[in-house]
């Protein structure tokens, strides 16, 4: 309060008359002072409240940073456990880095000498790169840059790419989809060779380059490539030795899907392989040579698949020991023999889920690989394969890949032994068969394999 007013009290020796006047005056002045006092009190309280709010807000923000808010924390990212990016170092800028060597190229015709050592040095300088591709596999595929002539072609290729993306997401596989011709004169089926060659240089962290034709559909999302079985090999193809060496058949292998190790041997092999392609002056001579060697060839011109069979036959000592012909599973399943069996295979899997309900338990998509291992154990794929035979076992389990070779979904120029209806409907069935394996983690399934309409799944196993 104002100290001057307090100085006029009776304790200062004033008379009664003066006191009466003072009391009258106090009624007026005191009211004003009281209002001033209350205003000060309110202002002080407001100031204290404001300071408390600021302090409380700061505490809340600090608490969120350290303790986490129950709602907000769910949307916050975390870098814990990740290897930090080390940046571009002196090695990358120096002469030891093969990318800085003008003699190193991405294309066929420019052999990279000492590629194995160059890759080894690169990996030593970039240990974090291994985390980008956990399986160290790069799937390479692609299609033409222009729209498909077949009205349904673009949709089928889009869904086929989505199918491969689904698999790669589940299994930690990197993927590259190409739509351009890297070597002008290496067209049609030859175009894959310069693409795989370029992918090796672009991805030194990848141990395997996995080529897959656009018309191939992955129809077992659980299956993992048995890379440990290929430790001593540099190329893996679907094929049969007796058809190569005894029958000399151009269909003894299929070059539409293969694994190629990222190494110097592979680069040298691709140079030899490509030497029979349309970009070389020896193309016509190679065409005649292949026809003379392989009596059942279906092509007049030299083709990539026949060229591999020829190299296996004529240059076996140089290449044969490093090429593995796989036929224990459908690395390249023939669609005509497969598409009609999907429902029967589904019923086998449903029977296993009925016997072992845990296989039908809901789980996050990231847990799919763990559940796949459990399914493999409960369904006894390996054990039963020994007792009933591999061929019979393959009829009971999902085919890894269904390849629509000869259908040509983009151009529509399918092999005349197939009808267009069988090709397109078969491919749709394969895509939906695979899609059901993905959609179940999202709670849905296709009404049937010929329908794109989906319905919620209501029959999951709940363990309580």
């Amino acid at each position: 309060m104002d100290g001057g007013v307090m100085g006029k009290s009776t304790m200062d020796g004033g008379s009664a008359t003066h006191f009466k006047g003072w009391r009258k005056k106090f009624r007026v002045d005191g009211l004003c002072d009281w209002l001033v006092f209350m205003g000060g009190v309110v202002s002080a309280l407001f100031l204290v409240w404001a300071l408390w709010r600021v302090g409380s807000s700061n505490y809340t923000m600090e608490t969120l940073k350290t303790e986490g808010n129950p709602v907000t924390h769910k949307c916050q990212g975390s870098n814990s456990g990740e290897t930090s990016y080390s940046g571009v170092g002196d090695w990358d800028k120096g002469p030891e880095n093969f990318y800085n060597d003008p003699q190193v190229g991405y294309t066929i015709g420019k052999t990279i000498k000492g590629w194995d050592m160059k890759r080894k040095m690169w990996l030593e300088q970039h240990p974090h790169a291994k985390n980008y591709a956990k399986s160290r596999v790069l799937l390479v595929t692609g299609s033409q840059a222009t729209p498909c002539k077949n009205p349904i072609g673009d949709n089928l290729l889009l869904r086929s790419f989505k199918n491969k993306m689904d698999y790669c997401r589940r299994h930690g596989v990197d993927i590259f989809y190409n739509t351009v011709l890297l070597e002008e004169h290496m067209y049609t089926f030859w175009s894959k060779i310069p693409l795989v060659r370029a992918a090796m240089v672009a991805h030194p962290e990848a141990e395997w380059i996995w080529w897959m034709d656009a018309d191939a559909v992955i129809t077992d999302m659980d299956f993992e490539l048995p890379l440990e079985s290929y430790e001593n090999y540099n190329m893996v193809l679907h094929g049969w030795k007796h058809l190569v060496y005894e029958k000399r058949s151009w269909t003894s292998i299929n070059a539409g899907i293969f694994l190629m190790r990222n190494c110097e041997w592979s680069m040298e092999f691709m140079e030899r392989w490509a030497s029979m392609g349309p970009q070389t002056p020896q193309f016509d001579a190679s065409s005649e040579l292949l026809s003379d060697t392989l009596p059942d060839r279906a092509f007049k011109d030299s083709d990539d698949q026949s060229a591999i069979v020829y190299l296996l036959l004529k240059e076996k000592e140089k290449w044969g020991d490093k090429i593995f012909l796989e036929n224990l599973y459908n690395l390249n399943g023939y669609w005509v023999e497969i598409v009609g069996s999907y429902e029967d295979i589904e019923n086998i899997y449903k029977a296993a889920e009925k016997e072992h309900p845990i296989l039908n338990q809901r789980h996050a998509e990231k847990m799919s690989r763990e559940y796949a291992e459990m399914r493999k154990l409960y369904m006894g794929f390996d054990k039963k394969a020994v007792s009933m035979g591999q061929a019979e076992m393959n009829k009971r389990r999902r085919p890894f890949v269904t390849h629509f070779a000869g259908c040509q979904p983009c151009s529509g120029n399918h092999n005349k032994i197939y009808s267009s209806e069988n090709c397109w409907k078969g491919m749709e069935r394969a895509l939906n068969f695979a899609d059901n394996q993905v959609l179940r983690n999202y709670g849905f399934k296709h009404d049937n394999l010929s329908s794109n309409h989906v319905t919620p799944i209501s029959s999951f196993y709940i363990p309580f």
Side-chain angles (χ1 to χ4, degrees):
M1 287 188 181
D2 190 348
V5 174
M6 290 184 67
K8 295 179 181 179
S9 67
T10 54
M11 290 183 291
D12 291 332
S15 63
T17 303
H18 176 74
F19 177 76
K20 291 179 182 179
W22 176 86
R23 188 171 54 182
K24 182 177 181 181
K25 184 175 186 301
F26 177 80
R27 291 174 181 172
V28 177
D29 294 343
L31 179 61
C32 294
D33 291 340
W34 182 81
L35 291 174
V36 173
F37 170 78
M38 291 305 297
V41 170
V42 172
S43 298
L45 290 174
F46 180 82
L47 179 61
V48 171
W49 175 81
L51 291 173
W52 178 83
R53 286 289 294 172
V54 172
S56 175
S57 177
N58 289 338
Y59 170 77
T60 302
M61 292 305 294
E62 291 301 317
T63 303
L64 283 174
K65 292 178 182 178
T66 57
E67 299 178 6
N69 180 276
V71 176
T72 308
H73 181 68
K74 293 179 180 179
C75 298
Q76 292 177 340
S78 172
N79 293 323
S80 60
E82 295 181 1
T83 304
S84 60
Y85 177 59
S86 58
V88 178
D90 293 336
W91 186 89
D92 291 275
K93 303 171 187 177
E96 290 186 340
N97 182 4
F98 63 84
Y99 286 110
N100 298 329
D101 183 354
Q103 300 302 316
V104 169
Y106 294 87
T107 59
I108 292 293
K110 297 194 72 174
T111 302
I112 301 179
K113 296 181 180 180
W115 176 242
D116 292 342
M117 183 58 66
K118 287 178 169 64
R119 276 192 68 232
K120 181 180 179 181
M121 292 179 64
W122 190 94
L123 288 168
E124 289 174 351
Q125 294 296 325
H126 304 84
H128 63 280
K130 294 182 180 180
N131 294 332
Y132 295 159
K134 295 180 180 179
S135 66
R136 301 191 68 188
V137 175
L138 173 68
L139 192 156
V140 178
T141 184
S143 60
Q144 64 186 46
T146 56
C148 293
K149 293 181 180 179
N150 182 17
I152 198 175
D154 289 311
N155 178 260
L156 290 175
L157 291 186
L158 175 63
R159 293 196 62 195
S160 179
F161 177 49
K162 186 261 186 191
N163 164 261
K164 297 173 179 64
M165 286 287 292
D166 284 337
Y167 181 87
C168 290
R169 184 181 65 254
R170 279 193 174 199
H171 294 273
V173 173
D174 277 352
I175 185 170
F176 176 65
Y177 194 97
N178 181 59
T179 58
V180 294
L181 197 61
L182 299 187
E183 169 56 56
E184 182 180 0
H185 301 291
M186 296 187 76
Y187 42 79
T188 62
F189 27 69
W190 289 101
S191 63
K192 66 171 76 79
I193 298 178
L195 178 55
V196 170
R197 168 67 166 75
M200 288 182 176
V201 183
H203 288 270
E205 83 286 354
E207 184 66 23
W208 291 96
I209 308 298
W210 177 13
W211 168 260
M212 182 173 287
D213 282 354
D215 58 358
V217 180
I218 299 175
T219 41
D220 187 352
M221 288 292 167
D222 288 345
F223 189 85
E224 293 198 358
L225 291 164
L227 299 179
E228 66 281 355
S229 300
Y230 311 137
E231 183 179 355
N232 298 320
Y233 299 93
N234 295 331
M235 187 178 189
V236 182
L237 293 152
H238 192 81
W240 297 264
K241 285 186 177 181
H242 72 281
L243 293 180
V244 173
Y245 298 109
E246 297 175 18
K247 301 295 184 181
R248 296 192 170 206
S249 172
W250 81 283
T251 60
S252 57
I253 65 165
N254 190 302
I257 300 169
F258 61 83
L259 288 161
M260 184 79 79
R261 190 182 296 277
N262 192 354
C263 67
E264 201 166 340
W265 179 97
S266 299
M267 288 191 173
E268 292 177 359
F269 175 79
M270 283 191 288
E271 291 291 339
R272 179 67 180 100
W273 187 13
S275 69
M276 307 180 82
Q279 83 287 0
T280 69
Q282 295 81 28
F283 182 61
D284 291 338
S286 297
S287 300
E288 294 181 9
L289 187 63
L290 293 178
S291 295
D292 292 340
T293 306
L294 310 175
D296 64 343
R297 279 189 74 228
F299 299 102
K300 176 183 178 182
D301 293 334
S302 174
D303 67 282
D304 64 323
Q305 184 167 300
S306 297
I308 295 180
V309 178
Y310 176 86
L311 294 175
L312 285 172
L313 286 168
K314 300 300 183 179
E315 301 179 20
K316 181 182 178 182
E317 291 184 1
K318 188 173 184 179
W319 312 114
D321 290 342
K322 291 296 182 180
I323 297 177
F324 185 83
L325 301 185
E326 179 65 84
N327 50 57
L328 294 182
Y329 65 91
N330 283 303
L331 177 62
N332 200 323
Y334 182 37
W335 67 275
V336 174
E337 299 173 351
I338 292 175
V339 293
S341 64
Y342 290 142
E343 284 85 359
D344 292 337
I345 294 173
E346 280 188 336
N347 289 334
I348 292 172
Y349 278 69
K350 288 178 181 177
E353 291 175 355
K354 186 176 181 180
E355 183 179 357
H356 308 285
I358 188 67
L359 297 177
N360 193 34
Q361 184 179 353
R362 290 187 294 195
H363 58 269
E365 189 174 47
K366 288 296 183 182
M367 288 292 293
S368 295
R369 296 172 77 179
E370 286 76 9
Y371 274 81
E373 285 298 314
M374 187 165 55
R375 180 177 290 106
K376 182 179 178 181
L377 176 65
Y378 282 140
M379 296 185 71
F381 288 142
D382 294 336
K383 186 176 180 180
K384 290 181 180 178
V386 175
S387 61
M388 70 174 58
Q390 191 67 49
E392 186 63 28
M393 189 65 235
N394 285 341
K395 295 178 182 179
R396 295 176 55 82
R397 69 180 302 173
R398 298 167 182 152
F400 179 40
V401 174
T402 305
H403 189 189
F404 289 82
C407 276
Q408 301 291 326
C410 191
S411 67
N413 298 325
H414 55 85
N415 191 314
K416 299 305 179 183
I417 66 174
Y418 315 127
S419 70
S420 59
E421 183 178 15
N422 287 343
C423 277
W424 319 145
K425 286 188 176 181
M427 197 166 183
E428 184 178 34
R429 281 171 55 81
L431 289 166
N432 288 341
F433 178 74
D435 204 32
N436 274 341
Q437 299 166 45
V438 176
L439 286 177
R440 70 179 297 163
N441 288 128
Y442 298 82
F444 290 85
K445 64 178 180 180
H446 287 266
D447 292 349
N448 57 70
L449 297 184
S450 298
S451 173
N452 289 324
H453 186 267
V454 298
T455 53
I457 299 175
S458 58
S459 57
F460 283 111
Y461 166 66
I462 307 298
F464 54 80

